Amino acid sequence: MNELKEFRRNTPAMTDNAATAAKARLMTAIHEPEAVRKPAASGTRRFGWRIAVAAALALVVGGTVVTLRDQPDMAPVASVAELGERAASAAENDPTPAPGPAQWLYTKELQLAGIEADVDRDRRATWERWTSVDGKQSAWYQGGKLMFQGSAVFNPAEMAKAPVSPAGVIARIKAAILDEDRRGPQELKGHVPPVMLFMEINQIISEQWLAPEVRAALFRALPTIKGITMTEDVPVADGRRGVAFSLDDDGARQSLVLDPQTFRYLGTNSTRLQDRTYERADGSKEIFKAGTVSLTSQLEAMIVNQPGQRS
């Protein structure tokens, strides 16, 4: 599949120069198997590994400087099930007031994509996004202009329909993925791979406002996905380290990283465990070595009254 075509299909008004740069970033960031990288049907939600798409979009946003902060010792977590329960409990006890239906979630993310060995923290970019609380729209700045498109995530009202349970939210996510697949490439044949399910939950948690009970159900659901394990001391893009839900697939480890004290979302870590060769359309090849990493970290997450607002 042509990653550049998929990226441009989902991103309006992109210049050729930006697209060329995006392709390079995408080729370094994407680690999932071919079955996951399917084109989005016109007018439908985008499913895909958020590290790859967001990292490419960040090229049109620019760089930032982040001061690395001190961090207390990590609270020990005995198992992935305990991690899910602690994160769920933190979500349920979050005192943040619920937003109004016309408000937006603003997120700001730091990204480092396709870095080999030691991370060069001068090679970083930021990506800002606004997602409507009702889940229907998302927005970002491109070339100084605020761009809009249909949301890339699920309708939070659908996710919050009673009864809310780990099995229930998993079933709804799978049904939505399979519904899109039936209207698109029809590659899944009725089966949602664990890595695709993990990717989608990651995207929902990081980009969409969710009712506390929905967020809690998602965290409790993660340990039930085949292959999900717990990984400790996992770095994100701004130097913080956390405890992660991780999944090894196709020679790479994908991790959703949480703060080890508060169990709030920190960011993502995608680490290549084995060398992999990608073949370009012109027949040339590029090898991505084991140890190559793509990192993100969430710097801001707040409710605002309109897209473009940052406080």
Side-chain angles (χ1 to χ4, degrees):
M1 169 186 155
N2 189 316
E3 286 83 3
L4 178 57
K5 287 182 179 178
E6 178 185 358
F7 176 69
R8 295 187 73 170
R9 180 184 298 113
N10 293 305
T11 308
M14 192 172 196
T15 66
D16 288 340
N17 287 341
T20 300
K23 180 179 179 181
R25 183 63 63 92
L26 276 168
M27 289 303 295
T28 341
I30 293 176
H31 296 283
E32 70 273 23
E34 290 295 327
V36 174
R37 299 197 302 271
K38 61 190 187 71
S42 177
T44 62
R45 288 181 293 262
R46 290 182 296 122
F47 292 101
W49 193 217
R50 58 182 302 279
I51 291 178
V53 176
L57 288 170
L59 292 170
V60 299
V61 178
T64 188
V65 175
V66 174
T67 302
L68 304 186
R69 60 194 78 175
D70 292 333
Q71 193 170 355
D73 292 338
M74 295 186 178
V77 179
S79 66
V80 68
E82 183 180 336
L83 176 58
E85 190 56 41
R86 287 200 189 187
S89 179
E92 290 170 332
N93 292 293
D94 187 349
T96 306
Q103 290 186 299
W104 294 67
L105 174 67
Y106 164 63
T107 56
K108 182 178 181 180
E109 184 176 80
L110 177 67
Q111 300 165 345
L112 289 160
I115 309 298
E116 291 186 22
D118 293 334
V119 171
D120 178 356
R121 298 195 181 278
D122 290 330
R123 293 181 57 191
R124 50 190 173 183
T126 56
W127 166 239
E128 294 179 296
R129 182 187 185 94
W130 290 263
T131 305
S132 61
V133 167
D134 64 10
K136 294 180 179 179
Q137 279 191 300
S138 59
W140 66 92
Y141 276 108
Q142 182 172 316
K145 182 180 179 181
L146 198 59
M147 311 296 293
F148 291 85
Q149 70 174 15
S151 179
V153 291
F154 289 83
N155 184 333
E158 290 292 323
M159 297 286 287
K161 284 183 178 178
V164 177
S165 68
V169 294
I170 287 288
R172 286 171 182 166
I173 294 171
K174 284 184 175 180
I177 293 173
L178 292 174
D179 179 63
E180 184 184 25
D181 186 61
R182 283 190 292 270
R183 292 178 284 114
Q186 299 184 10
E187 294 175 341
L188 299 181
K189 296 179 174 57
H191 173 68
V192 179
V195 66
M196 179 178 282
L197 183 59
F198 182 46
M199 290 172 182
E200 196 56 45
I201 292 175
N202 189 356
Q203 185 172 342
I204 294 167
I205 286 173
S206 63
E207 293 182 358
Q208 179 65 60
W209 179 84
L210 299 168
E213 64 270 21
V214 174
R215 186 172 289 266
L218 286 171
F219 283 130
R220 289 191 174 105
L222 281 167
T224 71
I225 298 173
K226 184 178 180 180
I228 296 289
T229 61
M230 179 194 68
T231 309
E232 296 183 299
D233 199 27
V234 180
V236 294
D238 65 350
R240 291 176 292 173
R241 307 181 79 88
V243 59
F245 297 99
S246 298
L247 179 61
D248 292 0
D249 181 82
D250 193 39
R253 174 170 296 160
Q254 315 292 356
S255 295
L256 187 164
V257 188
L258 305 180
D259 184 282
Q261 299 296 322
T262 66
F263 297 97
R264 289 179 176 267
Y265 176 80
L266 283 187
T268 59
N269 180 306
S270 179
T271 301
R272 176 138 292 283
L273 305 176
Q274 302 170 2
D275 291 356
R276 179 161 181 179
T277 301
Y278 288 92
E279 186 170 347
R280 299 189 182 94
D282 61 4
S284 61
K285 296 180 179 180
E286 186 170 1
I287 298 175
F288 294 94
K289 296 180 180 180
T292 301
V293 296
S294 296
L295 309 175
T296 72
S297 59
Q298 189 174 81
L299 305 179
E300 300 282 353
M302 68 181 71
I303 296 297
V304 295
N305 292 326
Q306 60 190 16
Q309 185 179 350
R310 294 184 174 91
S311 62

